[in-house]
Amino acid sequence: MPNIKYVGKNLFIEKLSVANIAKKGGTPFYIYSENQIKENYIKFVNTFKKIKPLVCFATKSNSNLSILRSLGKLGAGTDVVSIGELLKALKAGIKANKIVFSGVGKTEEELKIAINKKILLINCESESETKIINKIAKRSNKKVSIGFRLNPDIDAKTHKKISTGKANNKFGVSIKNFSVFFKEIKKLKNIKLEALSVHIGSQILTDVPYKRVLTVLSKLIKNLNLNLKYIDLGGGFGINYNKKDKPINLKKYSNLVHSFSKKLNCKIIFEPGRSIVGNAGILVSKIQYIKNGTNKKFIILNAGMNDFMRPALYDAHHDIIPIKKNSKKIKGIIEFVGPVCESTCKFGKYKNYQKIYENDFVAITNVGAYGTSLSSNYNTRPLIAEILVNKNKFKFIRKKQNLLKLISA
Ligand code: LLP
């Protein structure tokens, strides 16, 4: 997290001390470095600069309006998976012709809005969806451009709960079924197949499965003699949650994509989420209580699994770091847990952690992606605030949810 680091003993985000913000009250909160988000986006674009792809930020990874706005200003488009995300992207100033819409269960209502807004591509995930789009388009005498999401049956070598490109995953349509259905698509007069899309999973740390995808696509396009305007290669690029994680080599992959797109003469679309925002955010929490267990100490935070789901959902590892470092140690094992009434409301175990006390602050790291966007009101807990830092300034980009509103129904 280059923009979130210690200056002396104190954790800073850009030019601001996290402790100073935390002391003003209101923990837990998410806090992001705007610079980090911008740097990640620019680095991604530069890695693929020979290809000049359209980079559609995966809104589901972080759908805060200010973050979408900030990425939009840099030229990003968005990948959306619901009408809520679509309308948010438009509200953030992202042009409709830079928006792609994925998802296996788009409703007729959602499809109508997407068609009316003239977004770049609806990536269909089933035959039935394609037929509904054709029906809607026919009613208003339109010809709608679509992409078709394929399921290439490739193992992304990631956590099984975030793998999307294997035959047993619900996403896309198999190569075999698409090859048959493709002839039907040609008969549908109000749609035009302009793209193929794939997204095989998330937090992928090797380029091997991506290379396989290119091979499968090349073969299919050749076999069916497809003439496409776009190939949407999805997202999924992993980040380093653990020190031992090796970053994915995108430079090598970009060379492959370059020759692939040249051969096919089509524009490449990417849908990165995590790699743009993941390392740009931390969740700052207060230590509410410290309690001795039988064989470990429980460090009870005021942030719960409803605020940050990844450890409970995927056993995900996120380092928890003190806002102020010291050189003293706690003997034995500690476990950071939250207040939600579930045993899975826990965030990580440590041995020989530094001395910490009740009312100290800690930060759960690398939570910029799938942090707030996965949060919920479980245990009737209000959604927490989000703060964006730019150099030595910070602003609330989402206020803590109003408790009275929360208890109104
Ligand atoms: N495009 C599509 C169609 C997707 O379904 C996803 C993520 C992305 C792009 C962006 O993938 P990324 O670059 O962020 O890996 N909640 C899980 C991740 C679920 C990802 C779902 N799809 C987690 O916290 O790990």
Side-chain angles (χ1 to χ4, degrees):
M1 301 186 297
N3 283 278
I4 305 174
K5 54 179 184 237
Y6 288 100
V7 177
K9 290 186 180 338
N10 294 302
L11 188 67
F12 269 67
I13 177 158
E14 299 200 16
K15 300 226 174 314
L16 291 179
S17 142
V18 177
N20 284 348
I21 302 173
K23 273 183 216 147
K24 293 192 176 129
T27 58
F29 57 78
Y30 278 93
I31 186 163
Y32 310 102
S33 155
E34 189 167 18
N35 246 327
Q36 190 63 56
I37 297 172
K38 289 180 174 169
E39 279 172 25
N40 292 341
Y41 176 80
I42 291 166
K43 189 171 166 208
F44 188 89
V45 170
N46 282 341
T47 306
F48 291 97
K49 73 168 177 284
K50 274 202 280 184
I51 305 161
K52 296 202 182 71
L54 173 62
V55 180
C56 292
F57 171 66
T59 311
K60 67 170 82 65
S61 63
N62 191 316
S63 59
N64 186 285
L65 206 57
S66 303
I67 290 178
L68 294 179
R69 230 177 242 139
S70 176
L71 285 166
K73 280 190 192 141
L74 294 177
T78 51
D79 157 54
V80 300
V81 290
S82 70
I83 220 59
E85 286 190 357
L86 171 54
L87 295 177
K88 236 178 162 181
L90 290 170
K91 191 170 170 190
I94 311 257
K95 296 265 180 317
N97 65 4
K98 287 186 173 179
I99 298 178
V100 297
F101 190 2
S102 318
V104 293
K106 304 177 198 83
T107 64
E108 187 160 344
E109 204 45 45
E110 288 182 306
L111 290 167
K112 266 191 216 157
I113 299 175
I115 291 170
N116 283 339
K117 298 285 182 196
K118 298 194 177 74
I119 65 165
L120 180 67
L121 279 178
I122 299 172
N123 283 332
C124 296
E125 303 219 19
S126 63
E127 300 176 17
S128 308
E129 182 188 342
T130 317
K131 287 178 182 158
I132 289 203
I133 296 174
N134 189 61
K135 191 178 82 183
I136 301 169
K138 194 170 172 187
R139 267 192 233 132
S140 47
N141 235 342
K142 281 186 183 147
K143 191 145 186 146
V144 174
S145 300
I146 60 154
F148 213 92
R149 180 163 173 187
L150 299 171
N151 183 320
D153 193 18
I154 286 171
D155 187 351
K157 300 265 182 261
T158 182
H159 191 288
K160 71 172 188 309
K161 289 192 180 164
I162 52 175
S163 166
T164 51
K166 286 284 288 165
N168 66 353
N169 299 130
K170 68 182 174 184
F171 301 98
V173 168
S174 71
I175 303 292
K176 194 167 150 227
N177 289 347
F178 176 75
S179 306
V180 177
F181 182 57
F182 161 69
K183 293 180 195 106
E184 294 291 312
I185 296 182
K186 279 185 164 169
K187 293 185 206 147
L188 300 171
K189 294 277 174 290
N190 294 79
I191 54 173
K192 191 166 178 238
L193 180 71
E194 289 207 315
L196 287 180
S197 83
V198 277
H199 174 76
I200 55 169
S202 199
Q203 183 54 13
I204 300 171
L205 285 170
T206 149
D207 58 0
V208 177
Y210 286 114
K211 284 189 205 159
R212 290 206 182 117
V213 167
L214 297 183
T215 313
V216 170
L217 283 177
S218 302
K219 221 164 118 190
L220 177 74
I221 293 167
K222 198 166 161 229
N223 285 349
L224 299 181
N225 196 19
L226 295 176
N227 186 10
L228 301 166
K229 211 163 159 186
Y230 310 98
I231 299 279
D232 180 343
L233 291 171
F237 313 106
I239 63 169
N240 300 358
Y241 287 112
N242 286 299
K243 282 185 196 83
K244 57 182 193 308
D245 287 342
K246 274 211 196 105
I248 179 166
N249 187 344
L250 283 184
K251 204 73 224 158
K252 240 168 69 193
Y253 176 54
S254 90
N255 291 333
L256 288 175
V257 179
H258 184 230
S259 55
F260 170 84
S261 68
K262 255 177 92 179
K263 253 188 236 150
L264 297 171
N265 189 27
C266 59
K267 187 155 178 88
I268 298 293
I269 298 172
F270 286 117
E271 303 172 352
R274 191 188 312 267
S275 53
I276 306 296
V277 288
N279 70 351
I282 53 177
L283 198 174
V284 178
S285 181
K286 191 177 79 173
I287 298 174
Q288 194 71 45
Y289 299 116
I290 298 183
K291 165 164 101 170
N292 286 325
T294 311
N295 42 29
K296 59 190 170 192
K297 266 190 185 7
F298 292 105
I299 312 295
I300 304 169
L301 302 180
N302 63 353
M305 66 184 276
N306 68 301
D307 302 311
F308 186 55
M309 280 291 278
R310 296 198 78 253
L313 267 182
Y314 318 112
D315 290 324
H317 171 86
H318 288 260
D319 277 336
I320 302 170
I321 59 174
I323 297 301
K324 203 175 173 59
K325 281 205 278 195
N326 65 44
S327 49
K328 294 175 222 137
K329 296 265 182 254
I330 306 181
K331 274 201 196 112
I333 296 171
I334 62 161
E335 182 167 42
F336 288 99
V337 300
V340 168
C341 298
E342 294 263 355
S343 292
T344 51
C345 183
K346 55 187 183 179
F347 300 111
K349 255 190 206 165
Y350 288 85
K351 212 174 168 180
N352 299 327
Y353 203 80
Q354 78 161 47
K355 267 250 189 274
I356 39 178
Y357 303 91
E358 291 181 352
N359 297 317
D360 278 356
F361 301 112
V362 292
I364 307 178
T365 58
N366 293 312
V367 298
Y370 308 106
T372 41
S373 59
L374 276 176
S375 61
S376 79
N377 287 126
Y378 188 39
N379 279 198
T380 313
R381 289 166 53 85
L383 298 181
I384 62 179
E386 288 176 277
I387 297 172
L388 187 64
V389 173
N390 188 314
K391 298 187 186 82
N392 57 358
K393 295 203 173 72
F394 75 92
K395 62 177 179 194
F396 281 82
I397 54 172
R398 179 177 79 180
K399 280 195 191 137
K400 181 178 175 180
Q401 196 177 18
N402 181 296
L403 190 59
L404 289 179
K405 265 198 192 147
L406 179 63
I407 62 168
S408 67

